[in-house]
Short mmCIF file of all heavy atoms in Angstrom, two decimals:
data_model
loop_
_atom_site.label_atom_id
_atom_site.label_comp_id
_atom_site.label_asym_id
_atom_site.label_seq_id
_atom_site.Cartn_x
_atom_site.Cartn_y
_atom_site.Cartn_z
N LEU A 3 -8.19 10.61 1.42
CA LEU A 3 -7.25 9.62 0.95
C LEU A 3 -6.25 10.20 -0.07
O LEU A 3 -5.13 9.83 -0.04
CB LEU A 3 -7.91 8.47 0.32
CG LEU A 3 -8.39 7.33 1.30
CD1 LEU A 3 -8.95 6.16 0.58
CD2 LEU A 3 -7.25 6.92 2.28
N GLU A 4 -6.70 11.19 -0.82
CA GLU A 4 -5.76 11.82 -1.74
C GLU A 4 -4.71 12.60 -1.24
O GLU A 4 -3.66 12.90 -1.90
CB GLU A 4 -6.59 12.69 -2.74
CG GLU A 4 -7.46 11.94 -3.68
CD GLU A 4 -8.11 12.78 -4.75
OE1 GLU A 4 -8.56 13.91 -4.37
OE2 GLU A 4 -8.13 12.35 -5.92
N ASP A 5 -4.63 12.87 0.13
CA ASP A 5 -3.51 13.56 0.85
C ASP A 5 -2.49 12.54 1.29
O ASP A 5 -1.49 12.94 1.82
CB ASP A 5 -4.03 14.30 2.00
CG ASP A 5 -4.95 15.43 1.68
OD1 ASP A 5 -4.75 15.90 0.51
OD2 ASP A 5 -5.76 15.90 2.46
N TYR A 6 -2.66 11.18 1.09
CA TYR A 6 -1.85 10.15 1.59
C TYR A 6 -1.42 9.23 0.49
O TYR A 6 -2.12 9.05 -0.46
CB TYR A 6 -2.55 9.41 2.67
CG TYR A 6 -2.81 10.16 3.97
CD1 TYR A 6 -3.88 11.12 4.03
CD2 TYR A 6 -2.05 9.95 5.08
CE1 TYR A 6 -4.07 11.82 5.19
CE2 TYR A 6 -2.17 10.59 6.24
CZ TYR A 6 -3.20 11.55 6.31
OH TYR A 6 -3.44 12.32 7.48
N ASN A 7 -0.15 8.62 0.67
CA ASN A 7 0.12 7.54 -0.04
C ASN A 7 -0.67 6.24 0.48
O ASN A 7 -0.86 6.17 1.78
CB ASN A 7 1.63 7.18 0.01
CG ASN A 7 2.42 8.17 -0.60
OD1 ASN A 7 1.96 9.05 -1.47
ND2 ASN A 7 3.68 8.16 -0.34
N ILE A 8 -1.17 5.41 -0.42
CA ILE A 8 -1.93 4.32 0.20
C ILE A 8 -1.25 2.96 -0.27
O ILE A 8 -0.86 2.83 -1.41
CB ILE A 8 -3.44 4.30 -0.51
CG1 ILE A 8 -4.05 5.66 -0.16
CG2 ILE A 8 -4.24 3.23 0.01
CD1 ILE A 8 -4.25 5.92 1.41
N GLY A 9 -1.35 1.99 0.64
CA GLY A 9 -0.72 0.73 0.44
C GLY A 9 -1.69 -0.35 0.73
O GLY A 9 -2.58 -0.14 1.61
N TRP A 10 -1.52 -1.44 -0.01
CA TRP A 10 -2.36 -2.65 0.27
C TRP A 10 -1.25 -3.72 0.78
O TRP A 10 -0.15 -3.81 0.13
CB TRP A 10 -2.98 -3.20 -1.00
CG TRP A 10 -4.27 -2.51 -1.28
CD1 TRP A 10 -4.44 -1.57 -2.24
CD2 TRP A 10 -5.59 -2.80 -0.63
NE1 TRP A 10 -5.74 -1.16 -2.23
CE2 TRP A 10 -6.45 -1.84 -1.20
CE3 TRP A 10 -6.00 -3.65 0.35
CZ2 TRP A 10 -7.84 -1.88 -0.86
CZ3 TRP A 10 -7.29 -3.55 0.69
CH2 TRP A 10 -8.25 -2.64 0.08
N PHE A 11 -1.58 -4.41 1.86
CA PHE A 11 -0.70 -5.41 2.48
C PHE A 11 -1.53 -6.64 2.65
O PHE A 11 -2.78 -6.62 2.73
CB PHE A 11 -0.14 -4.91 3.79
CG PHE A 11 0.71 -3.77 3.66
CD1 PHE A 11 0.19 -2.45 3.58
CD2 PHE A 11 2.14 -3.97 3.80
CE1 PHE A 11 1.10 -1.42 3.54
CE2 PHE A 11 2.94 -2.83 3.61
CZ PHE A 11 2.46 -1.53 3.41
N ARG A 12 -0.85 -7.78 2.81
CA ARG A 12 -1.61 -9.03 3.17
C ARG A 12 -0.82 -9.88 4.08
O ARG A 12 0.45 -9.64 4.12
CB ARG A 12 -1.86 -9.79 1.85
CG ARG A 12 -0.66 -10.33 1.17
CD ARG A 12 -1.16 -10.98 -0.18
NE ARG A 12 -0.02 -11.57 -0.90
CZ ARG A 12 -0.06 -12.11 -2.12
NH1 ARG A 12 -1.27 -12.18 -2.78
NH2 ARG A 12 1.01 -12.56 -2.71
N GLN A 13 -1.51 -10.61 4.83
CA GLN A 13 -0.82 -11.49 5.72
C GLN A 13 -1.47 -12.85 5.84
O GLN A 13 -2.70 -12.98 6.21
CB GLN A 13 -0.68 -10.93 7.13
CG GLN A 13 0.27 -11.81 8.13
CD GLN A 13 0.65 -10.96 9.37
OE1 GLN A 13 0.02 -10.04 9.78
NE2 GLN A 13 1.68 -11.41 9.94
N ALA A 14 -0.82 -13.92 5.47
CA ALA A 14 -1.33 -15.22 5.57
C ALA A 14 -0.91 -15.86 6.89
O ALA A 14 0.01 -15.56 7.45
CB ALA A 14 -0.79 -16.03 4.36
N PRO A 15 -1.71 -16.89 7.33
CA PRO A 15 -1.34 -17.56 8.55
C PRO A 15 0.05 -18.07 8.56
O PRO A 15 0.51 -18.77 7.67
CB PRO A 15 -2.42 -18.72 8.69
CG PRO A 15 -3.63 -18.15 7.79
CD PRO A 15 -2.96 -17.44 6.69
N GLY A 16 0.79 -17.82 9.64
CA GLY A 16 2.10 -18.20 9.87
C GLY A 16 3.23 -17.58 8.85
O GLY A 16 4.37 -18.01 8.87
N LYS A 17 2.74 -16.53 8.22
CA LYS A 17 3.63 -15.84 7.31
C LYS A 17 3.84 -14.29 7.67
O LYS A 17 2.88 -13.80 8.33
CB LYS A 17 3.28 -15.90 5.87
CG LYS A 17 3.31 -17.30 5.26
CD LYS A 17 2.97 -17.34 3.80
CE LYS A 17 3.12 -18.78 3.17
NZ LYS A 17 2.83 -18.64 1.73
N GLU A 18 4.92 -13.71 7.22
CA GLU A 18 5.11 -12.23 7.54
C GLU A 18 4.19 -11.47 6.59
O GLU A 18 3.73 -11.92 5.52
CB GLU A 18 6.48 -11.98 7.31
CG GLU A 18 7.51 -12.51 8.26
CD GLU A 18 8.86 -12.00 8.08
OE1 GLU A 18 9.16 -11.15 7.20
OE2 GLU A 18 9.77 -12.25 8.96
N ARG A 19 3.90 -10.31 7.11
CA ARG A 19 3.07 -9.37 6.24
C ARG A 19 3.89 -9.01 4.91
O ARG A 19 5.10 -8.67 5.07
CB ARG A 19 2.79 -8.09 7.09
CG ARG A 19 1.85 -7.15 6.44
CD ARG A 19 1.52 -6.02 7.42
NE ARG A 19 2.75 -5.38 7.90
CZ ARG A 19 2.67 -4.58 9.08
NH1 ARG A 19 1.55 -4.26 9.63
NH2 ARG A 19 3.78 -3.98 9.51
N GLU A 20 3.06 -9.00 3.90
CA GLU A 20 3.72 -8.64 2.59
C GLU A 20 3.13 -7.31 2.08
O GLU A 20 1.88 -7.26 2.08
CB GLU A 20 3.49 -9.80 1.65
CG GLU A 20 4.00 -9.62 0.21
CD GLU A 20 3.58 -10.67 -0.76
OE1 GLU A 20 2.77 -11.37 -0.43
OE2 GLU A 20 4.21 -10.67 -1.86
N GLY A 21 3.87 -6.53 1.54
CA GLY A 21 3.42 -5.32 0.91
C GLY A 21 3.02 -5.66 -0.64
O GLY A 21 3.90 -6.07 -1.27
N VAL A 22 1.74 -5.56 -0.95
CA VAL A 22 1.30 -5.95 -2.21
C VAL A 22 1.42 -4.90 -3.27
O VAL A 22 1.86 -5.14 -4.42
CB VAL A 22 -0.19 -6.41 -2.10
CG1 VAL A 22 -0.77 -6.78 -3.39
CG2 VAL A 22 -0.41 -7.61 -1.16
N SER A 23 0.98 -3.66 -2.91
CA SER A 23 0.95 -2.56 -3.87
C SER A 23 0.85 -1.23 -3.12
O SER A 23 0.31 -1.30 -1.89
CB SER A 23 -0.26 -2.78 -4.90
OG SER A 23 -0.32 -1.75 -5.73
N CYS A 24 1.26 -0.18 -3.73
CA CYS A 24 1.01 1.03 -3.11
C CYS A 24 0.85 2.07 -4.26
O CYS A 24 1.28 1.92 -5.44
CB CYS A 24 2.17 1.46 -2.25
SG CYS A 24 3.76 1.71 -2.91
N ILE A 25 0.28 3.31 -3.91
CA ILE A 25 0.01 4.33 -4.88
C ILE A 25 0.32 5.69 -4.24
O ILE A 25 0.02 5.91 -3.05
CB ILE A 25 -1.35 4.32 -5.42
CG1 ILE A 25 -1.49 5.39 -6.65
CG2 ILE A 25 -2.43 4.47 -4.40
CD1 ILE A 25 -2.91 5.12 -7.38
N THR A 26 1.09 6.56 -4.98
CA THR A 26 1.42 7.82 -4.24
C THR A 26 0.31 8.85 -4.31
O THR A 26 -0.59 8.76 -5.18
CB THR A 26 2.64 8.42 -5.06
OG1 THR A 26 2.26 8.73 -6.44
CG2 THR A 26 3.82 7.56 -4.94
N ARG A 27 0.40 9.77 -3.38
CA ARG A 27 -0.58 10.81 -3.31
C ARG A 27 -0.51 11.77 -4.44
O ARG A 27 -1.51 12.11 -5.15
CB ARG A 27 -0.33 11.65 -2.06
CG ARG A 27 -1.18 12.92 -1.92
CD ARG A 27 -0.72 13.88 -0.86
NE ARG A 27 0.48 14.45 -1.37
CZ ARG A 27 1.11 15.51 -0.74
NH1 ARG A 27 0.61 15.89 0.44
NH2 ARG A 27 2.24 16.07 -1.21
N SER A 28 0.73 12.15 -4.86
CA SER A 28 0.87 13.33 -5.72
C SER A 28 0.61 12.99 -7.27
O SER A 28 -0.24 13.64 -7.85
CB SER A 28 2.37 13.84 -5.64
OG SER A 28 3.23 12.84 -5.91
N ASP A 29 1.23 11.86 -7.70
CA ASP A 29 1.06 11.76 -9.16
C ASP A 29 0.76 10.29 -9.54
O ASP A 29 0.81 9.84 -10.70
CB ASP A 29 2.37 12.06 -9.83
CG ASP A 29 3.58 11.14 -9.27
OD1 ASP A 29 3.30 10.35 -8.28
OD2 ASP A 29 4.78 11.43 -9.64
N GLY A 30 0.26 9.59 -8.52
CA GLY A 30 -0.32 8.14 -8.75
C GLY A 30 0.78 7.19 -9.24
O GLY A 30 0.43 6.24 -9.93
N ARG A 31 2.06 7.40 -8.88
CA ARG A 31 3.03 6.35 -9.12
C ARG A 31 2.59 5.11 -8.36
O ARG A 31 2.16 5.21 -7.20
CB ARG A 31 4.43 6.75 -8.73
CG ARG A 31 5.03 7.75 -9.68
CD ARG A 31 6.35 8.27 -9.05
NE ARG A 31 5.99 9.25 -8.01
CZ ARG A 31 6.89 9.68 -7.09
NH1 ARG A 31 8.15 9.09 -7.05
NH2 ARG A 31 6.62 10.56 -6.18
N ILE A 32 2.82 4.00 -8.98
CA ILE A 32 2.32 2.77 -8.44
C ILE A 32 3.50 1.80 -8.32
O ILE A 32 4.38 1.75 -9.20
CB ILE A 32 1.20 2.14 -9.38
CG1 ILE A 32 -0.02 2.99 -9.28
CG2 ILE A 32 0.89 0.69 -9.03
CD1 ILE A 32 -1.14 2.74 -10.20
#
C-alpha cells in the first residue's frame, strides 16, 4: 500500500459516490 495513494470513498443509496479522504504515497499529504 505504501507504493500507492489511497483513497476512501462512500456511496449512499440513490446518491453519487463521494470521495471522503485520501493520503499520498510519498509524504502522507492528506
Side-chain angles (χ1 to χ4, degrees):
L3 277 181
E4 286 189 319
D5 292 337
Y6 291 77
N7 293 344
I8 303 300
W10 282 99
F11 295 81
R12 67 186 181 186
Q13 188 162 23
K17 294 188 177 182
E18 291 189 355
R19 183 173 57 195
E20 176 187 17
V22 173
S23 181
C24 65
I25 184 168
T26 61
R27 174 196 72 171
S28 57
D29 56 4
R31 282 171 288 163
I32 290 172

